[in-house]
Coordinates of all heavy atoms in Angstrom, one line a residue:
S1 N -134.6 -112.9 -161.4 CA -133.8 -111.8 -161.7 C -133.5 -110.9 -160.5 O -132.5 -110.2 -160.4 CB -134.4 -111.1 -162.9 OG -135.8 -110.6 -162.5
D2 N -134.4 -110.9 -159.6 CA -134.2 -110.1 -158.3 C -133.4 -110.7 -157.3 O -133.2 -110.2 -156.1 CB -135.5 -109.5 -157.8 CG -136.5 -110.6 -157.3 OD1 -136.1 -111.8 -157.4 OD2 -137.7 -110.3 -157.0
Q3 N -133.0 -112.0 -157.6 CA -132.2 -112.8 -156.7 C -133.0 -113.2 -155.3 O -132.5 -113.8 -154.4 CB -130.9 -112.1 -156.3 CG -130.0 -111.8 -157.4 CD -129.3 -112.9 -158.0 OE1 -128.9 -113.8 -157.4 NE2 -129.3 -112.9 -159.4
Y4 N -134.3 -113.0 -155.4 CA -135.1 -113.2 -154.2 C -135.5 -114.7 -154.0 O -135.3 -115.3 -153.0 CB -136.3 -112.4 -154.3 CG -137.2 -112.5 -152.9 CD1 -136.7 -111.9 -151.7 CD2 -138.4 -113.2 -152.8 CE1 -137.5 -111.9 -150.5 CE2 -139.1 -113.3 -151.7 CZ -138.6 -112.7 -150.6 OH -139.4 -112.8 -149.3
D5 N -135.9 -115.4 -155.1 CA -136.3 -116.8 -155.1 C -135.4 -117.7 -155.8 O -134.9 -117.4 -156.8 CB -137.7 -117.0 -155.7 CG -138.8 -116.3 -154.9 OD1 -138.8 -116.4 -153.7 OD2 -139.6 -115.7 -155.4
V6 N -135.1 -118.9 -155.2 CA -134.2 -119.9 -155.9 C -135.1 -120.8 -156.7 O -136.1 -121.4 -156.1 CB -133.4 -120.6 -154.8 CG1 -132.6 -121.8 -155.5 CG2 -132.5 -119.7 -154.0
L7 N -134.8 -120.9 -157.9 CA -135.6 -121.6 -158.9 C -135.1 -123.1 -159.0 O -135.9 -124.0 -159.0 CB -135.7 -121.0 -160.2 CG -136.2 -119.6 -160.3 CD1 -136.1 -119.1 -161.7 CD2 -137.7 -119.6 -159.9
R8 N -133.8 -123.2 -158.9 CA -133.2 -124.6 -159.1 C -131.8 -124.5 -158.5 O -131.1 -123.5 -158.7 CB -133.2 -124.9 -160.6 CG -132.7 -126.2 -160.9 CD -133.7 -127.2 -161.2 NE -133.3 -128.5 -161.4 CZ -133.8 -129.6 -160.9 NH1 -134.9 -129.6 -160.3 NH2 -133.3 -130.8 -161.2
R9 N -131.3 -125.6 -158.0 CA -129.9 -125.8 -157.6 C -129.4 -127.0 -158.4 O -130.0 -128.0 -158.5 CB -129.8 -126.0 -156.1 CG -130.2 -124.9 -155.3 CD -130.1 -125.2 -153.9 NE -130.6 -124.2 -153.0 CZ -130.1 -123.0 -152.6 NH1 -128.8 -122.8 -152.9 NH2 -130.7 -122.3 -151.8
H10 N -128.2 -126.9 -158.8 CA -127.4 -128.1 -159.6 C -126.2 -128.3 -158.7 O -125.3 -127.5 -158.7 CB -127.1 -127.6 -161.0 CG -128.3 -127.4 -161.9 ND1 -129.0 -128.5 -162.3 CD2 -128.8 -126.3 -162.3 CE1 -130.0 -127.9 -163.1 NE2 -129.8 -126.6 -163.1
A11 N -126.1 -129.4 -158.1 CA -125.0 -129.8 -157.2 C -123.8 -130.0 -158.1 O -123.9 -130.5 -159.2 CB -125.3 -131.1 -156.5
L12 N -122.7 -129.5 -157.7 CA -121.4 -129.5 -158.4 C -121.1 -130.9 -158.9 O -120.6 -131.2 -160.1 CB -120.3 -128.9 -157.6 CG -119.0 -128.6 -158.3 CD1 -119.2 -127.6 -159.5 CD2 -118.0 -128.0 -157.4
Y13 N -121.3 -131.9 -158.0 CA -120.8 -133.3 -158.4 C -121.7 -133.9 -159.4 O -121.4 -135.0 -159.9 CB -120.7 -134.1 -157.1 CG -122.0 -134.4 -156.4 CD1 -122.5 -135.7 -156.7 CD2 -122.6 -133.6 -155.6 CE1 -123.8 -136.1 -156.2 CE2 -123.8 -134.0 -155.0 CZ -124.4 -135.2 -155.2 OH -125.6 -135.6 -154.6
L14 N -122.9 -133.3 -159.7 CA -123.7 -133.9 -160.6 C -123.7 -133.3 -162.1 O -124.2 -133.6 -163.0 CB -125.3 -133.7 -160.2 CG -125.6 -134.5 -158.9 CD1 -127.1 -134.3 -158.6 CD2 -125.3 -136.0 -159.1
I15 N -122.9 -132.2 -162.1 CA -122.7 -131.4 -163.4 C -121.7 -132.2 -164.3 O -120.5 -132.4 -163.8 CB -122.3 -130.0 -163.2 CG1 -123.4 -129.2 -162.5 CG2 -122.0 -129.3 -164.6 CD1 -123.0 -127.9 -162.0
V16 N -122.1 -132.7 -165.4 CA -121.2 -133.4 -166.3 C -120.5 -132.4 -167.3 O -119.2 -132.5 -167.6 CB -121.9 -134.5 -167.1 CG1 -121.0 -135.1 -168.1 CG2 -122.6 -135.4 -166.2
R17 N -121.1 -131.4 -167.8 CA -120.6 -130.5 -168.7 C -121.4 -129.2 -168.7 O -122.6 -129.1 -168.5 CB -120.7 -131.1 -170.1 CG -119.9 -130.3 -171.2 CD -119.8 -131.1 -172.5 NE -119.2 -130.3 -173.4 CZ -117.9 -130.5 -173.9 NH1 -117.4 -131.6 -173.6 NH2 -117.4 -129.8 -174.8
A18 N -120.7 -128.0 -169.0 CA -121.3 -126.8 -169.1 C -120.7 -126.1 -170.3 O -119.6 -126.1 -170.6 CB -121.1 -125.9 -167.9
V19 N -121.7 -125.5 -171.2 CA -121.3 -124.7 -172.4 C -122.0 -123.4 -172.4 O -123.2 -123.4 -172.3 CB -121.5 -125.6 -173.7 CG1 -121.2 -124.9 -174.9 CG2 -120.9 -126.9 -173.6
G20 N -121.3 -122.3 -172.7 CA -121.9 -121.0 -172.9 C -121.9 -120.7 -174.3 O -120.8 -120.8 -174.9
Y21 N -123.0 -120.2 -174.9 CA -123.0 -119.8 -176.3 C -124.1 -118.8 -176.6 O -125.0 -118.6 -175.8 CB -123.2 -121.2 -177.1 CG -124.4 -121.8 -176.9 CD1 -125.6 -121.6 -177.7 CD2 -124.6 -122.7 -175.7 CE1 -126.7 -122.3 -177.5 CE2 -125.8 -123.4 -175.6 CZ -126.8 -123.1 -176.3 OH -128.0 -123.8 -176.1
D22 N -123.9 -118.2 -177.8 CA -124.9 -117.3 -178.3 C -126.0 -118.1 -179.0 O -125.7 -119.2 -179.7 CB -124.3 -116.4 -179.3 CG -125.3 -115.3 -179.9 OD1 -125.6 -114.4 -179.2 OD2 -125.7 -115.6 -181.1
D23 N -127.2 -117.8 -179.0 CA -128.3 -118.6 -179.6 C -128.2 -118.8 -181.2 O -128.7 -119.7 -181.7 CB -129.7 -118.1 -179.2 CG -130.0 -116.7 -179.9 OD1 -129.3 -116.1 -180.6 OD2 -131.1 -116.3 -179.6
G24 N -127.4 -118.0 -181.8 CA -127.2 -118.1 -183.3 C -128.4 -117.7 -184.1 O -128.4 -117.8 -185.3
L25 N -129.4 -117.1 -183.5 CA -130.6 -116.7 -184.3 C -130.7 -115.1 -184.4 O -131.7 -114.7 -185.0 CB -131.9 -117.1 -183.5 CG -132.0 -118.7 -183.3 CD1 -133.2 -119.0 -182.3 CD2 -132.1 -119.4 -184.5
G26 N -129.6 -114.5 -184.0 CA -129.5 -113.1 -184.3 C -130.3 -112.3 -183.2 O -130.5 -111.1 -183.2
A27 N -130.9 -113.0 -182.2 CA -131.7 -112.4 -181.1 C -130.7 -111.9 -180.1 O -131.3 -111.2 -179.2 CB -132.7 -113.3 -180.6
G28 N -129.5 -112.3 -180.1 CA -128.6 -111.7 -179.0 C -128.7 -112.4 -177.7 O -128.4 -111.8 -176.7
R29 N -129.4 -113.6 -177.6 CA -129.5 -114.2 -176.4 C -128.3 -115.1 -176.1 O -127.8 -115.8 -176.9 CB -130.8 -115.2 -176.4 CG -132.0 -114.4 -176.5 CD -133.2 -115.2 -176.3 NE -134.4 -114.4 -176.2 CZ -135.3 -114.5 -177.2 NH1 -135.2 -115.3 -178.2 NH2 -136.4 -113.7 -177.2
S30 N -127.8 -115.0 -174.9 CA -126.7 -115.7 -174.4 C -127.2 -116.9 -173.6 O -128.0 -116.7 -172.6 CB -125.7 -114.9 -173.6 OG -125.3 -113.8 -174.4
L31 N -126.8 -118.1 -173.9 CA -127.3 -119.3 -173.2 C -126.3 -120.1 -172.5 O -125.1 -120.1 -172.9 CB -128.1 -120.1 -174.2 CG -129.1 -119.5 -175.0 CD1 -129.6 -120.4 -176.1 CD2 -130.3 -119.0 -174.2
L32 N -126.7 -120.7 -171.4 CA -125.8 -121.6 -170.7 C -126.4 -123.0 -170.7 O -127.6 -123.1 -170.3 CB -125.6 -121.2 -169.2 CG -124.7 -122.1 -168.4 CD1 -123.3 -122.1 -168.8 CD2 -124.9 -121.7 -167.0
A33 N -125.8 -124.0 -171.3 CA -126.4 -125.4 -171.3 C -125.5 -126.2 -170.3 O -124.4 -126.2 -170.3 CB -126.3 -125.9 -172.7
L34 N -126.3 -126.9 -169.5 CA -125.8 -127.8 -168.4 C -126.2 -129.2 -168.7 O -127.4 -129.4 -168.9 CB -126.2 -127.4 -167.0 CG -125.8 -126.2 -166.4 CD1 -126.4 -125.9 -165.1 CD2 -124.2 -126.0 -166.4
K35 N -125.2 -130.1 -168.7 CA -125.7 -131.6 -168.8 C -125.4 -132.1 -167.4 O -124.3 -132.0 -166.8 CB -124.7 -132.3 -169.8 CG -125.0 -133.7 -169.9 CD -124.2 -134.4 -170.9 CE -124.4 -135.9 -170.9 NZ -123.4 -136.5 -171.9
T36 N -126.4 -132.7 -166.8 CA -126.3 -133.1 -165.3 C -126.7 -134.7 -165.4 O -127.4 -135.1 -166.3 CB -127.2 -132.4 -164.4 OG1 -128.6 -132.5 -164.8 CG2 -126.8 -130.9 -164.4
T37 N -126.3 -135.3 -164.4 CA -126.7 -136.7 -164.2 C -127.3 -136.8 -162.8 O -127.3 -135.9 -162.0 CB -125.4 -137.6 -164.3 OG1 -125.8 -139.0 -164.2 CG2 -124.5 -137.4 -163.2
D38 N -128.0 -137.9 -162.6 CA -128.6 -138.2 -161.2 C -127.5 -138.9 -160.4 O -126.5 -139.2 -160.9 CB -129.9 -139.0 -161.4 CG -129.6 -140.4 -162.0 OD1 -128.5 -140.7 -162.4 OD2 -130.7 -141.1 -162.1
A39 N -127.9 -139.0 -159.2 CA -126.9 -139.6 -158.2 C -126.4 -141.0 -158.6 O -125.2 -141.4 -158.3 CB -127.4 -139.5 -156.8
G40 N -127.3 -141.8 -159.2 CA -126.9 -143.0 -159.6 C -126.2 -143.2 -161.0 O -125.8 -144.2 -161.4
A41 N -126.0 -142.0 -161.6 CA -125.4 -141.9 -163.0 C -126.2 -142.8 -163.9 O -125.6 -143.3 -164.9 CB -123.9 -142.2 -162.9
E42 N -127.5 -142.9 -163.8 CA -128.2 -143.7 -164.7 C -129.0 -142.9 -165.8 O -129.2 -143.3 -166.9 CB -129.3 -144.5 -163.9 CG -128.8 -145.5 -162.9 CD -129.9 -146.2 -162.1 OE1 -131.0 -146.0 -162.4 OE2 -129.4 -146.9 -161.2
E43 N -129.3 -141.6 -165.6 CA -129.9 -140.8 -166.5 C -129.2 -139.5 -166.6 O -128.6 -139.0 -165.6 CB -131.4 -140.5 -166.1 CG -132.3 -141.8 -166.1 CD -133.6 -141.5 -165.8 OE1 -134.0 -140.2 -165.8 OE2 -134.5 -142.4 -165.6
C44 N -129.3 -138.8 -167.7 CA -128.8 -137.4 -167.9 C -129.9 -136.5 -168.3 O -130.9 -136.9 -168.8 CB -127.8 -137.5 -169.0 SG -126.2 -138.3 -168.6
S45 N -129.7 -135.2 -167.8 CA -130.7 -134.1 -168.2 C -129.9 -133.0 -168.8 O -128.7 -132.8 -168.5 CB -131.3 -133.7 -167.0 OG -132.1 -134.7 -166.3
L46 N -130.5 -132.3 -169.7 CA -130.0 -131.1 -170.3 C -130.8 -129.9 -169.9 O -132.0 -129.9 -170.0 CB -130.0 -131.2 -171.8 CG -129.4 -130.1 -172.6 CD1 -127.9 -129.9 -172.3 CD2 -129.5 -130.3 -174.1
W47 N -130.1 -129.0 -169.3 CA -130.8 -127.7 -168.8 C -130.2 -126.5 -169.7 O -129.0 -126.5 -169.8 CB -130.5 -127.5 -167.4 CG -131.0 -128.6 -166.5 CD1 -130.2 -129.8 -166.2 CD2 -132.1 -128.8 -165.7 NE1 -130.9 -130.6 -165.4 CE2 -132.1 -130.0 -165.1 CE3 -133.2 -128.0 -165.7 CZ2 -133.1 -130.4 -164.3 CZ3 -134.3 -128.4 -164.8 CH2 -134.2 -129.6 -164.2
V48 N -131.0 -125.7 -170.2 CA -130.6 -124.4 -170.9 C -131.2 -123.3 -170.2 O -132.4 -123.1 -170.0 CB -131.1 -124.5 -172.3 CG1 -130.6 -123.4 -173.1 CG2 -130.5 -125.8 -173.1

């Protein structure tokens, strides 16, 4: 949150899809879901 440490980088060419949404639980949390693939396009990961 202080922009001091980088926790993770997602390369643009590995991002398959991105969706922004409200958590739907009434907690008011805004979420970003990223679907990424590996360089060989063999596996996908979901990051929220």
Side-chain angles (χ1 to χ4, degrees):
S1 58
D2 61 4
Q3 303 287 318
Y4 187 71
D5 293 317
V6 175
L7 303 174
R8 181 104 185 139
R9 294 180 192 271
H10 296 284
L12 193 58
Y13 72 97
L14 297 178
I15 298 172
V16 177
R17 185 169 182 116
V19 178
Y21 62 98
D22 182 75
D23 68 0
L25 301 174
R29 292 192 178 109
S30 301
L31 305 173
L32 175 71
L34 293 176
K35 180 180 178 183
T36 62
T37 187
D38 60 357
E42 296 175 7
E43 294 183 14
C44 289
S45 298
L46 181 63
W47 303 85
V48 180

